[in-house]
Amino acid sequence: MTPLLTIIVLILVAIAIWQMTKIFELSQIKTDNSQIANDTDNKYNGYLMFAFLIFIYALTIFSFWKYTKVLLPEAASEHGEEYDSLMLVSFIIIFLVQTLTQGLLHYFAFKYRGEKGKKALFFADNDRLEFIWTIIPVIVLSGLILWGLYAWTNIMDINDEDDPITIELYAQQFSWTARYAGDDNVLGDANVRMIDIDNANILGIDMADPNAADDVIVREIHLPVGRKVNFKMRSQDVLHSAYMPHFRAQMNCVPGMITQFSFTPTITTAEMRQKPDVVEKVKGINKQRAERAAKGEENTDPWEFDYVLLCNKICGKSHYNMQMKIIVETEEEYNKWMAEQKSFGESMASVQ
């Protein structure tokens, strides 16, 4: 309610200022009603361009100072470092070009403002300038595109040569279900037409497929550190997007087809929780939660960092809450956890 009242007050203040400005203009007896800008108008506009330039630079600096703390921590996957490097270089280039071009734009708007007796010099064309502002962007963008294609090829290297773990991510409004391929590392066939809620076959797995018996269905993902994982993704209803931000991984889940993504986790959950920037982030969030708890608000329990699987497509009214916990652990811890899980065949046998 408070943000809404704040917005209403700001709108009313803006309307009041606008009305006062109109009243001031009407009160001026010698007001020039000419629609043609004079030297005074041009001078004021020149100063305003400079003022706006200072404003956008100050806003940029403030944003860097204020909001860098909400950025993601270091990447927790093998390909994440190259991905972050590509993003950093792209942002640096964009920032430098934006800073230079905006500075020149506003400076020239002031320096070459209209003045009585001054006539603008018009160039019909300038081959040298056109060559410069064409060839430089071509070279820079070509470099970024080639680097991006190379990085994408490495990221999308989905194969079975590295002894990967095969996991299916099944999306539906508004939850995730994971299915491990079991000891044979081959997922059993599945189809949404085979879903049988009464018999606990929530993923539509083909019970006649021998590869399906050892599949393991879970609501929490466990990954062994340093082991490649091949994800195969399905959607039951609408377009979803499997987004694992800390691993710099995202792939759409499309109804009627299987999409794939693969990565190798490099930092366990326990190790990531000890990273200084993560510790500071957790401390800041828990400080806010404590303040909310003191006011009697809900959902204010202390928070602990975890990797998470999110949906990055607006898939319905509960899209914001469509997430699943991911735990990266040692190989021994992972094997112990897997040994505790019940296979699909065992689950079906207990139901029948």
Side-chain angles (χ1 to χ4, degrees):
M1 190 63 181
T2 302
L4 177 60
L5 291 174
T6 302
I7 294 173
I8 293 174
V9 169
L10 290 174
I11 293 174
L12 292 175
V13 169
I15 293 174
I17 293 174
W18 177 64
Q19 292 292 344
M20 290 172 64
T21 303
K22 300 300 290 184
I23 293 172
F24 176 78
E25 290 179 354
L26 292 173
S27 66
Q28 302 301 303
I29 300 176
K30 297 182 179 180
T31 299
D32 183 6
N33 293 321
S34 173
Q35 298 298 310
I36 300 175
N38 54 36
D39 287 355
T40 301
D41 296 330
N42 291 330
K43 182 175 69 173
Y44 285 154
N45 284 325
Y47 287 135
L48 286 173
M49 292 293 283
F50 257 133
F52 186 72
L53 178 64
I54 294 172
F55 167 74
I56 60 175
Y57 282 171
L59 182 62
T60 302
I61 294 171
F62 172 79
S63 298
F64 275 114
W65 170 76
K66 181 72 173 177
Y67 298 111
T68 48
K69 62 184 179 183
V70 304
L71 296 177
L72 289 170
E74 65 177 284
S77 61
E78 279 189 0
H79 73 266
E81 183 177 353
E82 184 175 13
Y83 176 94
D84 284 351
S85 297
L86 177 58
M87 287 289 290
L88 178 61
V89 171
S90 299
F91 275 119
I92 289 174
I93 292 174
I94 292 171
F95 177 74
L96 291 177
V97 171
Q98 184 266 351
T99 302
L100 177 63
T101 55
Q102 290 297 319
L104 291 174
L105 172 67
H106 290 78
Y107 170 73
F108 287 144
F110 171 78
K111 181 175 177 61
Y112 299 107
R113 65 189 183 276
E115 292 183 41
K116 190 174 182 179
K118 182 187 290 186
K119 186 177 181 180
L121 181 61
F122 176 73
F123 286 94
D125 57 68
N126 188 308
D127 293 340
R128 178 177 297 178
L129 283 177
E130 290 179 5
F131 178 79
I132 291 173
W133 67 51
T134 300
I135 197 64
I136 291 178
V138 167
I139 293 174
V140 173
L141 290 175
S142 297
L144 289 176
I145 291 171
L146 290 174
W147 185 8
L149 289 173
Y150 174 78
W152 179 251
T153 301
N154 288 338
I155 291 171
M156 296 304 293
D157 180 25
I158 301 172
N159 59 69
D160 297 326
E161 299 174 359
D162 304 319
D163 188 29
I165 298 171
T166 303
I167 303 175
E168 178 186 74
L169 298 179
Y170 187 77
Q172 63 185 114
Q173 295 174 314
F174 299 93
S175 65
W176 293 98
T177 305
R179 177 165 62 116
Y180 286 74
D183 295 333
D184 61 2
N185 206 31
V186 178
L187 289 167
D189 291 337
N191 192 296
V192 292
R193 295 180 178 85
M194 297 181 184
I195 292 176
D196 188 350
I197 302 297
D198 295 334
N199 290 320
N201 188 0
I202 59 175
L203 302 185
I205 300 173
D206 185 357
M207 292 186 287
D209 186 348
N211 292 322
D214 64 347
D215 290 356
V216 176
I217 301 173
V218 295
R219 292 286 186 174
E220 181 177 272
I221 301 174
H222 285 241
L223 304 175
V225 68
R227 182 90 177 270
K228 185 176 179 180
V229 184
N230 285 349
F231 289 98
K232 298 181 182 296
M233 305 165 193
R234 287 194 297 144
S235 172
Q236 176 176 302
D237 34 50
V238 299
L239 186 67
H240 298 278
S241 187
Y243 178 43
M244 293 168 273
H246 302 98
F247 305 103
R248 310 305 191 258
Q250 177 172 317
M251 179 59 66
N252 286 346
C253 305
V254 185
M257 67 180 294
I258 296 174
T259 54
Q260 301 182 88
F261 198 97
S262 116
F263 66 79
T264 303
T266 56
I267 304 174
T268 66
T269 300
E271 290 171 340
M272 185 62 84
R273 287 174 177 172
Q274 301 303 316
K275 300 288 183 181
D277 54 339
V278 174
V279 171
E280 287 300 314
K281 189 187 297 291
V282 171
K283 188 184 299 183
I285 292 174
N286 284 333
K287 180 181 178 181
Q288 296 179 27
R289 289 191 166 212
E291 293 172 352
R292 292 173 56 193
K295 299 177 183 177
E297 299 181 17
E298 298 180 353
N299 300 323
T300 55
D301 296 334
W303 177 72
E304 186 175 41
F305 172 84
D306 275 308
Y307 295 122
V308 65
L309 165 65
L310 303 169
C311 177
N312 209 20
K313 285 286 186 292
I314 301 178
C315 56
K317 61 181 181 180
S318 294
H319 151 76
Y320 70 95
N321 202 34
M322 186 173 169
Q323 53 187 282
M324 178 187 282
K325 183 178 178 180
I326 301 175
I327 297 175
V328 180
E329 54 199 1
T330 63
E331 187 84 27
E332 294 77 15
E333 292 170 326
Y334 169 77
N335 290 334
K336 180 182 177 182
W337 174 81
M338 278 297 297
E340 297 170 350
Q341 307 307 308
K342 186 182 293 187
S343 70
F344 174 69
E346 292 171 340
S347 298
M348 290 296 99
S350 63
V351 171
Q352 295 172 357

